[in-house]
Amino acid sequence: MEYTKNFNIRTGRNLTMLVDFYELTMGNGYLHSDMGERIAYFDMFFRRVPDGGGYCIMAGVQQVIEYLSNLKFSEDDIEYLRNKNSFSEEFLNYLKNFKFSCDVWAIPEGNPVFPNEPLVTVKGPAIQAQFVETMILLTINHQTLIATKANRICRAAGNRPVMEFGSRRAQGYDGAIYGARAAVIGGCSSTACTISEEMFGIPAVGTMAHSWIQLFPTEYEAFKAWADVYPDNCVLLIDTYNVLKSGLPNAIKVFNEILLPKGFRPKGIRIDSGDITYLTKKCREILDESGFSDVQIVISNSLDEFIISDVLSQGACIDSLGVGERLITARSEPVFGGVYKLSAIEDPVGNIVPKIKISENEEKITNPGFKNIYRIYDKKDNKAIADLITLRDEELNLNEPIEIFDPVFTWKKKKIKDYYIKELMVKIFDKGIPVYENPSVMDIKKVVEEETSKMWPEVLRFENPHTYYVDLSKKLWDLKQDLLHKYSNTYEEE
Amino acid sequence: MEYTKNFNIRTGRNLTMLVDFYELTMGNGYLHSDMGERIAYFDMFFRRVPDGGGYCIMAGVQQVIEYLSNLKFSEDDIEYLRNKNSFSEEFLNYLKNFKFSCDVWAIPEGNPVFPNEPLVTVKGPAIQAQFVETMILLTINHQTLIATKANRICRAAGNRPVMEFGSRRAQGYDGAIYGARAAVIGGCSSTACTISEEMFGIPAVGTMAHSWIQLFPTEYEAFKAWADVYPDNCVLLIDTYNVLKSGLPNAIKVFNEILLPKGFRPKGIRIDSGDITYLTKKCREILDESGFSDVQIVISNSLDEFIISDVLSQGACIDSLGVGERLITARSEPVFGGVYKLSAIEDPVGNIVPKIKISENEEKITNPGFKNIYRIYDKKDNKAIADLITLRDEELNLNEPIEIFDPVFTWKKKKIKDYYIKELMVKIFDKGIPVYENPSVMDIKKVVEEETSKMWPEVLRFENPHTYYVDLSKKLWDLKQDLLHKYSNTYEEE
């Protein structure tokens, strides 16, 4: 059991072998081409915000750190790989003694992030920096997808609490567990996923399903039994038979007969089907008339940001919402297309040689070199103006105005005065040693609230958001142009 | 470490606490309403085939069995639950000594399954049968979704091998790990997900990424290095710079200079971008002219069943395919809407009381009672004619023709002679003891091939497939009508 030492029973398995097989065939190849120890630089970034949104919410860094801290091949893994007949004993020996020694930088969780800026940068021996591709992508892609979707849904819900309810429709166990984590980062107040509270300290909540009602001879008896057991937290699901003719009258009867005499106020009713606008308005009216204006109306049933905006604009009376499958799978756009691309290598004497991936598709051309990112804020209102990607060794002169320019239409320039900057990436591994202290999920959630409040409303809106500026420094832009021209001289159009 | 005994380092964590919180609040409620030990019957089923398809592929039973075999609450879990202040000590004690004692039936993996038939049935004490809802749904929903999507993609690909490549875009680690399992069940020949081969014995494959090419000074040197290391399995990725002007000529040069002199035949080229039809036709032509008609063309890049059908109909020259994000997330429809509904309870003396969930939406009305399912095959050609859902205690007289009828338009009848039947569900737990031996994934894959070959082509097609008959026995139909009429007398339309 060589895993045991670093193995946390709750946070999961050792996932070292969760790797695309080609990372291994390439690793073996690098080793035998004397490239294994060459220092390579990789950037993880994405090209497009899902759902046509204005920004994404960074999430998953803690799990990347856990993964990178626990890289270890077992004897069984080595034996399995040996039997594939693709790898030399020298390479298998390398894996057996694998010791992660890369430097890694990442944008901390909860920050709004934008296309084409590095979210994670890995610098280290080519075998290693290549190997970690699959899990870095998988982790950040998944959690950023869900945090971003949750943020949309919570914005649509206004100040109403949104509960994450989707475990049963998640794509696998981790889809539920880490999906709940990301959903709370993005803005959800709580989750139905119990294990996620144990693991991450995010509140788990829940009351009853239709089966509770059905198991009793009548709805009234089911409500009565519930009120007896949970007088202090009584939320009744009222749509098993008929909301207005049966569920609500029975609920009110039980509130009056059981709760009030015992000195408890009822907490709420939940509706999980039917016409939300009509039913919630009617229920609100009847509850208010019956002396229960403090009783909350909770809704669920295939909600997402579009339906929530719609029913609220129709005047639906909603106090809180449960959102399930459309959040936990990001149903409207379930793929977050983060990529992991080589940006530089060091030559044998340690000089950085920037690399570019060219493409007919201009969008797919990468930003070369070892880079840094600064977020530039306006001093007078703290709003974020732009992100500026520079080369690592550039120094910004903060006493002078910064001139940014559009990387395509370079005559579109903007001179920024009275600004302050924040370096976006933090170092999370130094020569293989974790050096970053993960904040709690509830603290990351606060970062989201704080940092999105610094975004212009034009960037935050759902429809046709303003494209936030992500610009390159002059030095980086020049380098990129040089490389592009170099390649265009070598290769012609298809 | 009380988990250790039943804990498999590779198949995962103890997932007992992966449960919707309301299963616990209901459990506590059942206990205190004297309903905890009442025998309840729950069915898991779905209502609609994703993507408008004709059938789904059942998957995930092995993981349901692993989960149910390992139900166990740790001291930490109990302490965590105690701190929620929602549960009595009596209930916490019940959980501490939790011993799964239900009977469970399921349709074995690999079988085509249809809307409204039970995929899983659980019979047991209400607390337990309720508790397992979340994980049964999560497991079957996920794997059935991916197996079904993979089956569509592989049908579109004809006899060409399809490799599952999606780990990096999966929704969480299990999305990748079990998604690969389900993809191979559905028809994929292999996966890029290494750990899935270790866990399930499904072949893991892979060659090189663009970064391999970029790390070398030139594409030619990168290809040459690869051919040196992997002369016997040389598949070159030729689209890093320009497929026809650079990638293919460099590949052919390396084939001729390195592989042939050493006595090796090259295996293939891979194209991951650009116009698939145009490029594969051109590459095929050039490869054939160059004496490499045995070299295979592998394609990837955001493929799904629609794109594959399209490029093949245009005459694209493709030998095998890598399919990633659109398979591993079932992007076209990423939610499999399986539900878990109460179908009966036993009264205190053990009589079965059937239960129905009514709904304004006719589709959402459930089938009551403790049931069984038979698949009826035509004796002359072995084609499946219909599934018949009966009550458990009904006996079919196999010496007589079976009359089936449409459950809505009951005058639509069909008398079936010369048939044979298969009972679809098998018992997987007997009083909490696992009693089913899981086949290997590769054997489940064969079930898919065999059983889909027994489906009419009209059911298999993509566009407007014929709706396969899933009918109710007369006795079950009568029971359902009785319950519906009983409710319609009690409750009026909203």
Side-chain angles (χ1 to χ4, degrees), chain B residues 275-315:
Chain B
D275 187 314
I276 291 169
T277 307
Y278 171 74
L279 291 174
T280 58
K281 280 179 173 175
K282 276 282 175 195
C283 286
R284 184 75 275 157
E285 212 178 290
I286 296 167
L287 285 168
D288 290 353
E289 282 166 4
S290 313
F292 294 112
S293 56
D294 57 334
V295 168
Q296 299 215 324
I297 299 177
V298 186
I299 61 157
S300 42
N301 188 26
S302 300
L303 301 176
D304 61 18
E305 68 270 41
F306 309 107
I307 294 175
I308 294 170
S309 299
D310 193 42
V311 297
L312 288 175
S313 77
Q314 295 162 32

Side-chain angles (χ1 to χ4, degrees), chain A residues 13 19 21 25 77 80 84 130 139 141 168 173-174 192 194 197-198 204 207 211 230 242 492 494, chain B residues 13 19 21 25 77 80 84 130 139 141 168 173-174 192 194 197-198 204 207 211 230 242 244 492 494:
Chain A
R13 303 138 288 185
V19 61
F21 196 73
T25 49
D77 297 335
Y80 151 76
K84 293 291 283 181
Q130 181 77 63
T139 304
N141 278 341
R168 64 190 54 194
Y173 312 125
D174 294 315
T194 311
E197 178 167 50
E198 270 191 295
T207 55
S211 51
Y230 297 108
N242 182 309
E492 293 164 56
E494 197 112 45
Chain B
R13 303 137 288 184
V19 62
F21 195 72
T25 49
D77 297 335
Y80 152 74
K84 293 290 282 182
Q130 181 76 64
T139 304
N141 279 341
R168 65 189 54 193
Y173 313 125
D174 294 314
T194 310
E197 177 167 48
E198 272 191 295
T207 54
S211 51
Y230 298 107
N242 181 309
L244 297 175
E492 295 163 57
E494 198 111 44

Side-chain angles (χ1 to χ4, degrees), chain B residues 30-169:
Chain B
Y30 292 143
L31 189 75
H32 293 286
S33 312
D34 287 329
M35 298 290 279
E37 292 303 313
R38 284 286 282 279
I39 300 301
Y41 296 76
F42 283 88
D43 290 330
M44 189 244 156
F45 61 94
F46 66 101
R47 298 188 178 110
R48 213 176 54 75
V49 178
D51 291 315
Y55 62 93
C56 291
I57 297 293
M58 180 72 178
V61 174
Q62 181 176 339
Q63 282 66 44
V64 166
I65 293 173
E66 287 170 3
Y67 162 71
L68 294 175
S69 305
N70 288 287
L71 282 171
K72 185 157 178 47
F73 295 84
S74 73
E75 288 292 341
D76 285 351
D77 297 335
I78 302 293
E79 192 49 34
Y80 152 74
L81 291 172
R82 182 173 287 122
N83 288 328
K84 293 290 282 182
N85 294 321
S86 296
F87 309 111
S88 70
E89 281 304 316
E90 193 184 344
F91 181 66
L92 294 175
N93 209 44
Y94 179 94
L95 295 183
K96 208 167 153 181
N97 301 311
F98 192 95
K99 198 170 164 0
F100 185 63
S101 65
C102 296
D103 293 327
V104 186
W105 294 260
I107 296 181
E109 297 186 84
N111 281 287
V113 289
F114 300 92
N116 302 316
E117 59 192 20
L119 308 185
V120 179
T121 293
V122 177
K123 171 197 172 183
I127 294 184
Q128 296 187 21
Q130 181 76 64
F131 182 85
V132 299
E133 172 181 32
T134 309
M135 276 290 285
I136 288 177
L137 285 173
L138 169 45
T139 304
I140 303 289
N141 279 341
H142 172 230
Q143 289 200 44
T144 301
L145 175 74
I146 303 303
T148 303
K149 180 70 176 178
N151 193 255
R152 291 173 63 82
I153 289 171
C154 294
R155 267 183 290 154
N159 291 320
R160 297 164 188 83
V162 174
M163 297 166 279
E164 186 284 304
F165 269 11
S167 292
R168 65 189 54 193
R169 304 275 165 83

Side-chain angles (χ1 to χ4, degrees), chain A residues 193-228:
Chain A
C193 188
T194 311
I195 198 171
S196 297
E197 178 167 50
E198 270 191 295
M199 287 172 63
F200 311 119
I202 59 182
V205 297
T207 55
M208 64 170 68
H210 294 116
S211 51
W212 173 271
I213 319 291
Q214 292 180 276
L215 265 165
F216 288 82
T218 66
E219 190 180 47
Y220 171 73
E221 285 166 274
F223 286 176
K224 197 170 162 307
W226 192 265
D228 280 333

Side-chain angles (χ1 to χ4, degrees), chain A residues 3 7 9-10 12-13 15 17-26 28-30 32-33 35 42 63 76-77 80 84 86 126 130 133-135 137-139 141-142 145 167-178 192-195 197-198 204-212 214-216 225-226 229-230 240-246 270 279 325 328-329 331 334-339 342 345 355-358 487 491-494, chain B residues 3 7 9-10 12-13 15 17-26 28-30 32-33 35 42 63 76-77 80 84 86 126 130 133-135 137-139 141-142 145 167-178 192-195 197-198 204-212 214-216 225-226 229-230 240-246 270 279 325 328-329 331 334-339 342 345 355-358 487 491-494:
Chain A
Y3 283 119
F7 190 84
I9 201 77
R10 236 189 272 299
R13 303 138 288 185
L15 292 172
M17 291 293 281
L18 208 184
V19 61
D20 279 329
F21 196 73
Y22 77 1
E23 319 287 13
L24 291 162
T25 49
M26 283 191 282
N28 182 61
Y30 292 143
H32 292 285
S33 310
M35 298 290 277
F42 284 87
Q63 283 66 45
D76 285 351
D77 297 335
Y80 151 76
K84 293 291 283 181
S86 296
Q130 181 77 63
E133 173 181 33
T134 308
M135 276 290 285
L137 285 174
L138 170 43
T139 304
N141 278 341
H142 172 230
L145 176 73
S167 292
R168 64 190 54 194
R169 304 277 166 79
Q171 295 193 355
Y173 312 125
D174 294 315
I177 295 170
Y178 296 105
C193 188
T194 311
I195 198 171
E197 178 167 50
E198 270 191 295
V205 297
T207 55
M208 64 170 68
H210 294 116
S211 51
W212 173 271
Q214 292 180 276
L215 265 165
F216 288 82
W226 192 265
V229 181
Y230 297 108
T240 305
Y241 302 112
N242 182 309
V243 169
L244 297 176
K245 298 266 166 54
S246 164
R270 180 160 77 95
L279 291 175
E325 62 193 38
I328 207 68
T329 66
R331 180 170 172 272
V335 173
F336 188 81
V339 295
L342 184 75
I345 59 166
K355 291 279 181 174
I356 194 166
K357 167 84 179 73
I358 58 166
Y487 279 114
Y491 303 102
E492 293 164 56
E493 289 254 319
E494 197 112 45
Chain B
Y3 283 117
F7 190 85
I9 201 78
R10 234 188 275 297
R13 303 137 288 184
L15 293 172
M17 291 293 281
L18 208 185
V19 62
D20 279 328
F21 195 72
Y22 77 2
E23 319 286 12
L24 291 163
T25 49
M26 284 191 282
N28 182 61
Y30 292 143
H32 293 286
S33 312
M35 298 290 279
F42 283 88
Q63 282 66 44
D76 285 351
D77 297 335
Y80 152 74
K84 293 290 282 182
S86 296
Q130 181 76 64
E133 172 181 32
T134 309
M135 276 290 285
L137 285 173
L138 169 45
T139 304
N141 279 341
H142 172 230
L145 175 74
S167 292
R168 65 189 54 193
R169 304 275 165 83
Q171 295 192 355
Y173 313 125
D174 294 314
I177 295 171
Y178 296 106
C193 187
T194 310
I195 199 172
E197 177 167 48
E198 272 191 295
V205 298
T207 54
M208 65 170 67
H210 294 116
S211 51
W212 174 271
Q214 292 180 276
L215 265 165
F216 289 82
W226 192 264
V229 181
Y230 298 107
T240 305
Y241 302 112
N242 181 309
V243 169
L244 297 175
K245 298 266 166 56
S246 163
R270 179 159 78 94
L279 291 174
E325 61 192 39
I328 207 68
T329 66
R331 179 171 172 273
V335 174
F336 188 81
V339 295
L342 185 75
I345 60 166
K355 291 279 181 174
I356 194 166
K357 167 85 179 74
I358 58 168
Y487 278 113
Y491 302 102
E492 295 163 57
E493 290 254 320
E494 198 111 44

